[in-house]
Amino acid sequence: MTYDRGVEYKDSGLDWLGSVPKHWKQLKVARDLQYTIGWTPPTANPANFDGAVPWVTIADLGEPQVRTTQKGISKAALSARGASLLPRGTLLMSFKLSVGLVSVLGLEAVTNEAIAAFKPNPRVDTRFLYYALPEFVPKYARENIYGAKLLNQDLIASAKTFVPPLEEQRRIAAFLDYETRRIDELVSELEKFAFHAEERRAAIIVAAVTGALRLTECGSNSGSRAYSDSTPKATREALQSVPRSWDVARVADIASRRREFGTPDMDLLSVFLDRGVVPYVMDGGQVHAPSDDLSTYQVVRRGDLVLNNQQAWRGSVGVSNYEGIISPAYVVLKLHYRQHPGFMNYLVRSKVMVHQFEIASRGVGDIQRQVYWPRLRECLVPLPSLEEQQRICDFLDHEVGRLNTLLAEQARLISLLRERRSALITSAVTGQIDVREWSPTDDLAVEEVA
């Protein structure tokens, strides 16, 4: 799709913007827009949060319109502040933590202090501003030492951009509404495909590691195995498919805790959700930095089963292909001779085991749940012969690899579509494309971004 650039341009005088159409006029927030910053009532008084008055927080932003809020404040808190409700049609933008999230109020409400509220303005189209604000206001942010954007009321007030006449603003907003909706629909379809592919991948793994997929003639189903009530229902059901020629052993029967300290010169390892055991340098700095004192770090040998103590119940486990050391917060298990590392890697990260790790974890909430060894050692493990483990591993390498390739392609397309969406918005609200003669078409396809 191409657009007509047949307009004269002028220098905007703004370093971040460059040239803009000659007929566009400068807009300065402090001069041209009426906005307010929200607030939070005193939290020491629970009565301030009885929910009578809709109170918008960042958690409510992101959708085009805010129709309901997760939290509310009391009418007394509103009165004590001397504040009034923001009208429907007010444009909200976050400027703390998540900078640049926008939504339009679909109800009368107030906001907290992380949100700037721009009331309807007869000279600026709200839908145009919905797309333009996140483009130009963050340009005036400062950065902290970690590179995060920081905005305050004064910086927001100083923000400047250029805007077209009101009718052209509406045209740009209509263009962007149409095009972004179509892109969003494509992204949604691709995400649904990816979700089903991930579900299929998980189901294939469970079926393979429990013998539900008959890769060889290995006897009939057990059918009569009895399991403890502490075994999750989903696990009991999955284990009913285990052939009689397989064993069902406890973790304690096939593994023992490795209690061996390493040395600081050994490679540092970590365990990632969906990636298993990886060298620490591969983790992209997304985990806590290692301790300055590595004397208590545990040795991990090739073929060891390693569990993230707090995230095993989510699947943050794996069989290591590396030797090195890992934080004492992890659980390291030495697998006995009967286990094929590849098969075990699929098994321990499958739902049949992760459900059990969840039961074996205890604590308050999700973050503080830790694996409890006396329970972990009782988890049940389906075990075919070593030859069958190899056959299952080869089968899953092929099938999972094929699905992973499909998922990677879906992720690539989604990323390209989102880049296209962002580029369209930037180009339209800065006058780099002329959409005054634009009309809807139906020619957008995935092939355009492939």
Side-chain angles (χ1 to χ4, degrees), residues 257-258 269-272 280 287-288 297-298 300 306-310 316 326-333:
R257 296 196 70 171
R258 184 181 293 282
L269 304 176
S270 187
V271 181
F272 258 57
Y280 181 83
V287 296
H288 294 299
Y297 274 49
Q298 307 170 87
V300 175
V306 187
L307 302 91
N308 182 317
N309 201 15
Q310 295 184 346
S316 188
I326 203 162
S327 164
Y330 290 81
V331 176
V332 181
L333 300 179

Side-chain angles (χ1 to χ4, degrees), residues 142-282:
R142 294 172 182 159
E143 290 188 354
N144 63 17
I145 60 173
Y146 304 105
K149 292 184 179 297
L150 300 176
L151 279 169
N152 57 36
Q153 193 163 356
D154 290 337
L155 292 173
I156 293 172
S158 70
K160 301 174 185 177
T161 190
F162 280 74
V163 299
L166 186 58
E167 186 54 39
E168 190 174 346
Q169 293 176 33
R170 291 171 179 155
R171 194 69 173 172
I172 291 171
F175 162 78
L176 290 174
D177 283 346
Y178 181 83
E179 294 295 341
T180 57
R181 181 171 61 249
R182 299 172 76 202
I183 292 174
D184 291 344
E185 288 171 355
L186 282 173
V187 169
S188 178
E189 288 301 313
L190 290 171
E191 287 177 335
K192 288 177 184 176
F193 180 92
F195 173 80
H196 290 303
E198 290 170 350
E199 289 289 297
R200 176 169 174 76
R201 179 178 62 187
I204 288 174
I205 292 173
V206 169
V209 300
T210 59
L213 289 179
R214 294 292 181 261
L215 302 181
T216 61
E217 293 298 326
C218 52
S220 61
N221 289 357
S222 62
S224 60
R225 297 181 191 267
Y227 300 107
S228 165
D229 290 340
S230 64
T231 304
K233 180 181 178 182
T235 302
R236 295 199 301 269
E237 291 174 350
L239 293 180
Q240 290 302 322
S241 67
V242 174
R244 288 178 180 169
S245 60
W246 290 27
D247 290 333
V248 176
R250 300 177 309 146
V251 166
D253 296 328
I254 67 164
S256 56
R257 296 196 70 171
R258 184 181 293 282
R259 299 182 182 275
E260 182 181 351
F261 295 126
T263 56
D265 61 325
M266 299 179 70
D267 291 336
L268 195 61
L269 304 176
S270 187
V271 181
F272 258 57
L273 187 67
D274 296 330
R275 288 167 59 193
V277 183
V278 296
Y280 181 83
V281 293
M282 289 175 55

Side-chain angles (χ1 to χ4, degrees), residues 22-98:
K22 192 172 183 179
H23 64 286
W24 286 34
K25 305 297 183 182
Q26 189 186 80
L27 177 146
K28 184 175 181 179
V29 171
R31 181 188 65 212
D32 302 311
L33 298 178
Q34 180 186 1
Y35 77 100
T36 59
I37 304 298
W39 50 280
T40 296
T43 56
N45 183 3
N48 284 334
F49 300 90
D50 68 7
V53 178
W55 184 55
V56 183
T57 66
I58 290 179
D60 300 310
L61 302 185
E63 293 298 320
Q65 196 169 69
V66 175
R67 298 184 183 277
T68 61
T69 61
Q70 297 183 20
K71 298 179 180 180
I73 63 172
S74 68
K75 292 182 179 179
L78 183 68
S79 176
R81 177 76 178 189
S84 57
L85 294 173
L86 296 166
R88 292 180 177 87
T90 297
L91 178 62
L92 308 180
M93 188 189 78
S94 63
F95 67 94
K96 293 182 179 180
L97 300 178
S98 298

